[in-house]
């Protein structure tokens, strides 16, 4: 678990990528939630939150300065995510996406935003990172005509596997993929719900590239930009719908 009491300021919604993004969204102010995973950020319970929508392209600074009509789907996705303080233990702001999954329109809009971006890009593999990548990855894969490949924690896949280790705050972990699930020369999209420190996505990139797969892009619902996870992805582009930061001052 990463303790980051001084890192996070305020959350906002964001198209971010190194490829041409969908229609940019103008800045706007929205109500909560903060967007933190319990195993990523602790000691931030009951912190006031504000949200902002914008559009950006991480390869082209000029695009970051372009204001355009807001995509109304972002606000609906934002309002569908529920924050539960002190779960699973005190000091943790749990970002509950189950409420987004219960909202048919918000869930569909989330998938559609990704599908609109990745259709007709020659992607033959959507690799989903355990566990929430398994929620968003399969419908994206089906819609763009790609196969879905699960990237799992150790000892979860029954067949022969190839694995890649990555560092945690305390120790290391691995992700694994079935041997033969992908072929050299295929083009892959990596999907997860959140990028924080970027360790898992970095391991997924290395794992796929070891077997000759071209990683086209990484796609996440949420990002914690202050943790600089995208810096660990090297030159691999990252597309994000929602960016989050939390004002770390104590307002108790």
């Amino acid at each position: 678990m990463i303790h980051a009491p001084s890192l996070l300021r305020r959350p906002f919604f964001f198209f971010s990528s190194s490829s041409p993004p969908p229609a940019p969204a103008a800045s706007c102010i929205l109500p909560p939630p903060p967007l933190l995973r319990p195993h990523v950020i602790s000691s931030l319970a009951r912190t006031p939150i504000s949200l902002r929508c914008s559009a950006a392209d991480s390869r082209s600074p000029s695009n970051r300065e372009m204001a355009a009509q807001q995509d109304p789907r972002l606000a609906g996705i934002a309002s569908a995510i529920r924050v539960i303080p002190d779960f699973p233990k005190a000091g943790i702001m749990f970002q509950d996406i189950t409420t987004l999954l219960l909202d048919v329109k918000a869930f569909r809009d989330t998938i559609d935003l990704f599908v609109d971006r990745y259709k007709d890009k020659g992607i033959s593999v959507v690799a989903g990172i355990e566990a929430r990548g398994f929620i968003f990855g399969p419908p994206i894969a089906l819609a763009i005509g790609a196969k879905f490949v699960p990237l799992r924690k150790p000892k979860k896949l029954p067949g022969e596997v190839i694995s890649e280790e990555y560092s945690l705050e305390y120790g290391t972990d691995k992700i694994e993929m079935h041997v033969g699930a992908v072929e050299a020369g295929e083009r892959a999209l990596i999907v997860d719900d959140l990028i924080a420190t970027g360790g898992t996505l970095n391991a997924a990139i290395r794992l796929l590239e070891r077997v000759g797969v071209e990683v086209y892009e990484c796609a996440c619902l949420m990002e914690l930009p202050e943790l600089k996870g995208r810096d660990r992805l090297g030159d691999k582009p990252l597309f994000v719908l929602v960016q989050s930061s939390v004002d770390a001052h104590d307002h108790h």
Side-chain angles (χ1 to χ4, degrees):
M1 180 177 294
I2 296 172
H3 296 264
S6 63
L7 288 177
L8 307 177
R9 285 187 244 172
R10 70 177 59 180
F12 54 94
F13 297 91
F14 185 75
F15 282 115
S16 173
S17 158
S18 47
S19 305
S27 295
C28 62
I29 301 299
L30 298 174
L35 300 165
L36 308 177
R37 257 187 190 159
H39 61 280
V40 175
I41 303 297
S42 63
S43 305
L44 292 173
R46 304 184 187 86
T47 306
I49 300 298
S50 64
L51 301 176
R52 160 163 80 88
C53 294
S54 64
D57 182 331
S58 62
R59 263 187 204 166
S60 176
S62 62
N63 285 349
R64 285 195 291 267
E65 302 168 2
M66 294 173 60
Q69 184 177 4
Q70 178 194 347
D71 189 325
R73 294 177 291 184
L74 290 174
I77 293 167
S79 63
I81 301 172
R82 175 175 62 174
V83 176
I84 301 179
D86 299 324
F87 180 85
K89 61 181 181 180
I92 292 174
M93 300 291 281
F94 184 80
Q95 307 309 300
D96 181 16
I97 66 166
T98 64
T99 46
L100 183 146
L101 304 179
L102 293 171
D103 185 327
V104 174
K105 184 179 187 307
F107 189 20
R108 181 188 296 115
D109 287 345
T110 300
I111 300 303
D112 285 349
L113 284 167
F114 289 122
V115 170
D116 289 346
R117 182 173 188 81
Y118 297 116
K119 63 184 179 182
D120 304 322
K121 295 298 191 297
I123 295 169
S124 58
V125 176
V126 174
I129 295 175
E130 187 170 355
R132 297 185 193 180
F134 296 177
I135 296 174
F136 300 103
I140 295 171
L142 287 173
I144 67 174
K147 61 185 175 184
F148 177 75
V149 176
L151 304 182
R152 301 215 63 184
K153 297 175 182 177
K155 300 181 179 179
K156 295 292 186 68
L157 292 170
E160 183 183 1
V161 299
I162 178 173
S163 63
E164 187 70 34
E165 188 172 88
Y166 61 98
S167 299
L168 301 170
E169 186 182 12
Y170 306 107
T172 61
D173 205 347
K174 292 181 180 180
I175 57 171
E176 297 182 338
M177 175 178 66
H178 269 141
V179 172
V182 296
E183 298 178 2
E186 289 194 285
R187 174 177 283 188
L189 170 70
I190 301 175
V191 176
D192 202 0
D193 71 315
L194 173 72
I195 177 171
T197 63
T200 311
L201 279 176
N202 178 264
I205 292 169
R206 298 197 313 268
L207 181 62
L208 289 164
E209 290 186 336
R210 278 171 55 193
V211 293
V213 171
E214 174 199 351
V215 176
Y216 177 78
E217 195 160 88
C218 299
C220 295
L221 172 64
M222 298 176 278
E223 178 184 14
L224 301 177
E226 291 85 350
L227 297 184
K228 301 184 183 302
R230 67 172 60 225
D231 292 348
R232 298 186 65 178
L233 305 185
D235 61 354
K236 290 296 179 290
L238 172 69
F239 179 63
V240 175
L241 296 184
V242 176
Q243 285 194 333
S244 171
S245 11
V246 180
D247 189 341
H249 293 87
D250 186 2
H251 296 278
H252 282 41

